[in-house]
Amino acid sequence: MSPSSRRATSHDVARLAGVSQSTVSRALRGLGGMSPETRQRVEQAARQLAYVPFEAGRSLVTRATRRVGVVAGDLTNPFFPDLVEPMRAELEHRGYRTVLIPDSVESPADVQVMTDGSLDGVILTTARMGSRLPHQLADAGVPFVFTNREIHGFPADACVADNRLGAVATANLLVDLGHRAVGAILGPSDTSNGREREAGLLEGLNARGLYLDPARVRRGEFDFDTGYRASLDLLANTDRTSAIVCSNDVVALGACNAVMKAGLAVGRDMTIVGFDNIRMAGWPVFGLTTVGCDLTKLAAESVRLLMLRIQDPTRSHTRVVLDVNVVERASHGTASVN
Amino acid sequence: MSPSSRRATSHDVARLAGVSQSTVSRALRGLGGMSPETRQRVEQAARQLAYVPFEAGRSLVTRATRRVGVVAGDLTNPFFPDLVEPMRAELEHRGYRTVLIPDSVESPADVQVMTDGSLDGVILTTARMGSRLPHQLADAGVPFVFTNREIHGFPADACVADNRLGAVATANLLVDLGHRAVGAILGPSDTSNGREREAGLLEGLNARGLYLDPARVRRGEFDFDTGYRASLDLLANTDRTSAIVCSNDVVALGACNAVMKAGLAVGRDMTIVGFDNIRMAGWPVFGLTTVGCDLTKLAAESVRLLMLRIQDPTRSHTRVVLDVNVVERASHGTASVN
DNA sequence: TTGTATGCGTTATCAT
DNA sequence: ATGATAACGCATACAA
């Protein structure tokens, strides 16, 4: 009935400007090789019709969508916002939109939505050994990059923190402070960062003549509850544990909450160290000492690798390992006298 | 060179199955009115070729993308993950994908990406009075819904919490506890929730014969720093302020940090109340007393409204106001003796 | 410098 | 029950 409410197409703009449709396409993309007058006339007409190129039409022919999928865990786990936000910002900066793709152990990410051509590439932040997703993406020819976690030996680009070195540094910090009864809440053993941090901790401790007493070790997902519950458990069932090394900051925050809840002072009565240096680690109430990995850099570098991969799917794979540094705040202290 | 690495199309499937392309389309969509044998043959061929329908082709003709944009603030502000996550989950449940669209006072959301046909609808969580976005979306015919915040008088669907009532409840709680020197950190006055919570607080206080002393009032964005700094300021420049009402939980968490940092005990020395009941409010160290709004319900209801709007763009607008309830935890207490 | 013509992969209409 | 055919809106190769 009312043809005016129809969405304007490049043909409409062409008609109004008195040019051909292809001229409209050229003009609006600023292609050069055309008279300034024509371009102006087209731009004027486009403005008048509030014309915005229809994305599906364009991507059907260009085979590009300027969208990238970010596979991440539950956003209410504070680690993911801190990783996704800089990712999103970097993607936006490069003219890409971010599509959120949830992934968890219980409900693995859906592959269909990543292989229907609606994404130019995918960033994987939750890789686990044995996961089928990377294979499926590779088979489908979808460019992707491992971030934060990787799958060793899998031929793909990756950007990760130097987890081993960070954990060694943690061990040294604790030993220097006089801790001998060190406890730990380790991450899942089917994740690269979980394993590397574990290995680094053992290595660092051993190098200083210390060992991890299995009685002081707990293991679980990288989440608050794991840290909270494991800490209460450690508090209830072990003696003299003076420090708890956590698989990441979110776990460490859970540990802080447990320790404080138990009436102990973090830093004085119990040393807690995290990993990642998420924003909340810097909140005054926590003052979490942690191994910092620049998440903004991690995001930027990951996006950069993905862009290169999209640009040239045949290029050789790159693995970027980011420096880490110990961020000393208030959650550590000398070992309390036994 | 290698035609086998080309993406399979419905034509490829048709050729392999020995049927026409249109039959493939029908078979794979389960359209009925065709022989089971043919369907099976098509499905078999599709599987063999790992065929996934190309999204751009489909959406070009169907005019639907099964993608929804969620306009939200910086994810490192813990309120947004708590709102976006259930939103994403609900959208996924309905077969929609979530596209993250950032929006802040400094850099307002880009309209182009919402009007290029790549989104079936948009959810606005950061509406501000005077914002052009809602008008632009309406002009472009893009279905959208206000969530969390709205613009009063703007003809659109909306789903918000009962902010006024919640703030009145807060006032009553404080007065009942004996607080008379009540301080407040109010939200931006160009946001509906900021204004409504402010109005409700005043109303509730006045009804009990109390008034807000301007000296005890600060104002700022809904973020941690606002709560932290305003609280330090309040602590330094006012006497006897025994309670601080915050515009939301994130601000309240900032306030808790400031108060604790100052060596005071939250709940005993200073009462702090938030709004929203985000997950972190329940963390043991904070035990934040707050006015709860079921964010999962907010998300689900918002998505429902959007779906209805997409389905029928001409239907009359609906405004849903969600119940709130006071969640009493540990951050409140009786007014300390003066 | 500009126009004509073609095709991207899908859904959908219309025959048969 | 199935096949031919025509759009959908755009970019692009080629002609002029």
Side-chain angles (χ1 to χ4, degrees):
Chain A
M1 279 295 110
S2 73
S4 60
S5 74
R6 221 192 68 248
R7 193 192 164 86
T9 72
S10 53
H11 285 97
D12 298 328
V13 177
R15 201 173 311 119
L16 181 59
V19 298
S20 74
Q21 180 268 332
S22 50
T23 295
V24 171
S25 177
R26 280 188 289 251
L28 265 31
R29 281 180 303 143
L31 276 200
M34 56 182 309
S35 83
E37 304 84 52
T38 311
R39 165 160 296 143
Q40 289 218 329
R41 204 140 36 85
V42 171
E43 285 169 345
Q44 156 70 21
R47 224 170 309 129
Q48 191 173 328
L49 297 176
Y51 169 70
V52 177
F54 197 67
E55 200 263 340
R58 167 184 312 194
S59 93
L60 186 57
V61 36
T62 61
R63 319 300 294 191
T65 63
R66 303 212 65 96
R67 270 188 300 268
V68 163
V70 175
V71 178
D74 193 313
L75 289 179
T76 62
N77 178 330
F79 171 70
F80 292 109
D82 276 39
L83 181 60
V84 172
E85 181 60 36
M87 209 92 91
R88 189 208 56 63
E90 180 67 19
L91 285 168
E92 183 195 14
H93 179 248
R94 293 180 183 257
Y96 282 77
R97 282 163 277 184
T98 302
V99 179
L100 271 184
I101 301 174
D103 182 51
S104 64
V105 201
E106 309 85 49
S107 61
D110 178 24
V111 207
Q112 294 277 118
V113 309
M114 303 183 235
T115 54
D116 64 356
S118 66
L119 262 27
D120 289 347
V122 172
I123 296 176
L124 299 180
T125 74
T126 53
R128 281 180 184 260
M129 293 169 60
S131 166
R132 301 174 49 203
L133 188 52
H135 295 96
Q136 294 169 312
L137 291 177
D139 288 350
V142 176
F144 72 94
V145 52
F146 286 121
T147 301
N148 173 51
R149 294 184 200 166
E150 64 189 317
I151 295 178
H152 292 292
F154 195 106
D157 299 301
C159 183
V160 296
D162 195 334
N163 294 303
R164 199 195 55 83
L165 207 66
V168 169
T170 294
N172 281 325
L173 173 69
L174 296 184
V175 177
D176 287 344
L177 288 167
H179 293 277
R180 305 203 55 91
V182 175
I185 304 173
L186 305 175
S189 49
D190 61 348
T191 63
S192 64
N193 49 353
R195 293 175 84 100
E196 289 167 7
R197 290 171 193 185
E198 174 178 355
L201 179 62
L202 295 183
E203 179 186 333
L205 250 24
N206 294 354
R208 302 290 294 272
L210 286 183
Y211 298 87
L212 252 194
D213 178 352
R216 300 187 204 281
V217 174
R218 299 293 182 276
R219 191 188 291 279
E221 292 297 316
F222 293 108
D223 57 29
F224 184 90
D225 278 356
T226 292
Y228 189 73
R229 286 207 276 258
S231 297
L232 289 182
D233 189 31
L234 242 23
L235 250 26
N237 299 306
T238 68
D239 283 338
R240 311 182 346 270
T241 298
S242 63
I244 303 177
V245 178
C246 300
S247 55
N248 82 354
D249 285 351
V250 178
V251 171
L253 258 18
C256 286
N257 271 269
V259 168
M260 291 174 174
K261 192 70 182 176
L264 301 178
V266 171
R268 193 178 45 113
D269 304 323
M270 180 66 81
T271 285
I272 295 176
V273 185
F275 208 116
D276 288 336
N277 194 23
I278 64 174
R279 223 139 121 163
M280 231 176 292
W283 282 14
V285 265
F286 301 118
L288 185 67
T289 291
T290 184
V291 175
C293 156
D294 187 339
L295 293 179
T296 300
K297 203 163 167 185
L298 183 67
E301 195 62 19
S302 303
V303 170
R304 192 180 71 83
L305 290 181
L306 182 62
M307 298 290 110
L308 291 173
R309 172 66 45 204
I310 290 172
Q311 193 183 316
D312 175 14
T314 68
R315 80 189 274 280
S316 63
H317 300 294
T318 308
R319 180 167 181 268
V320 175
V321 178
L322 261 42
D323 281 347
V324 295
N325 64 304
V326 177
V327 181
E328 299 194 24
R329 282 196 274 249
S331 69
H332 68 287
T334 54
S336 42
V337 278
N338 300 316
Chain B
M1 279 297 110
S2 72
S4 60
S5 74
R6 219 192 72 247
R7 194 194 161 82
T9 71
S10 52
H11 286 98
D12 299 327
V13 178
R15 201 173 311 119
L16 181 60
V19 297
S20 75
Q21 181 271 332
S22 46
T23 295
V24 172
S25 177
R26 277 189 292 251
L28 265 31
R29 281 181 301 148
L31 275 201
M34 57 182 308
S35 84
E37 303 83 54
T38 311
R39 164 160 297 141
Q40 288 217 332
R41 203 140 36 85
V42 171
E43 284 169 345
Q44 156 69 21
R47 224 169 311 129
Q48 191 173 327
L49 297 176
Y51 169 70
V52 177
F54 197 67
E55 199 263 339
R58 167 185 312 195
S59 92
L60 185 58
V61 36
T62 61
R63 319 298 293 186
T65 63
R66 303 212 64 97
R67 271 189 299 268
V68 162
V70 174
V71 178
D74 192 313
L75 289 178
T76 61
N77 177 330
F79 171 70
F80 292 109
D82 276 39
L83 181 60
V84 172
E85 181 60 37
M87 208 93 88
R88 189 208 55 64
E90 179 68 20
L91 285 168
E92 183 196 14
H93 179 248
R94 293 180 183 257
Y96 282 77
R97 282 164 278 185
T98 302
V99 179
L100 271 184
I101 302 173
D103 183 52
S104 64
V105 201
E106 309 84 49
S107 62
D110 179 23
V111 207
Q112 294 279 119
V113 308
M114 302 183 235
T115 55
D116 64 358
S118 66
L119 262 28
D120 289 347
V122 171
I123 296 176
L124 299 179
T125 74
T126 54
R128 283 181 183 258
M129 294 168 60
S131 165
R132 300 175 51 204
L133 186 54
H135 296 94
Q136 294 169 313
L137 291 177
D139 289 351
V142 176
F144 72 94
V145 52
F146 286 122
T147 301
N148 174 49
R149 296 184 198 166
E150 64 189 317
I151 295 179
H152 291 293
F154 195 106
D157 298 302
C159 183
V160 295
D162 196 335
N163 294 303
R164 200 194 55 81
L165 208 65
V168 168
T170 294
N172 282 324
L173 173 69
L174 297 183
V175 177
D176 288 345
L177 287 167
H179 293 277
R180 307 204 53 93
V182 175
I185 303 173
L186 306 174
S189 49
D190 61 348
T191 62
S192 64
N193 49 353
R195 292 175 84 100
E196 289 166 7
R197 290 171 191 184
E198 174 179 355
L201 179 62
L202 294 183
E203 180 187 331
L205 250 24
N206 294 353
R208 303 289 294 270
L210 286 183
Y211 298 87
L212 253 193
D213 178 351
R216 300 187 205 280
V217 174
R218 299 293 182 276
R219 190 188 291 280
E221 292 297 317
F222 292 108
D223 57 29
F224 184 90
D225 279 356
T226 292
Y228 189 72
R229 286 208 276 259
S231 296
L232 288 182
D233 189 32
L234 242 24
L235 250 27
N237 298 305
T238 67
D239 283 338
R240 310 184 346 272
T241 299
S242 63
I244 303 178
V245 178
C246 299
S247 55
N248 81 356
D249 284 352
V250 178
V251 171
L253 258 19
C256 287
N257 271 270
V259 168
M260 291 173 173
K261 193 70 182 175
L264 302 178
V266 172
R268 191 178 48 113
D269 303 325
M270 180 67 81
T271 286
I272 295 176
V273 185
F275 208 116
D276 288 335
N277 194 24
I278 64 174
R279 221 138 123 165
M280 232 178 289
W283 282 14
V285 264
F286 300 118
L288 186 66
T289 292
T290 184
V291 175
C293 158
D294 187 339
L295 293 179
T296 300
K297 203 162 167 187
L298 183 67
E301 195 64 17
S302 303
V303 169
R304 194 180 68 84
L305 290 181
L306 183 61
M307 298 290 109
L308 291 173
R309 172 66 46 204
I310 290 172
Q311 192 183 318
D312 175 14
T314 67
R315 78 189 276 281
S316 63
H317 301 295
T318 308
R319 180 167 181 268
V320 175
V321 178
L322 260 43
D323 281 348
V324 295
N325 64 305
V326 178
V327 180
E328 298 196 24
R329 282 195 274 247
S331 70
H332 68 287
T334 55
S336 43
V337 279
N338 299 316

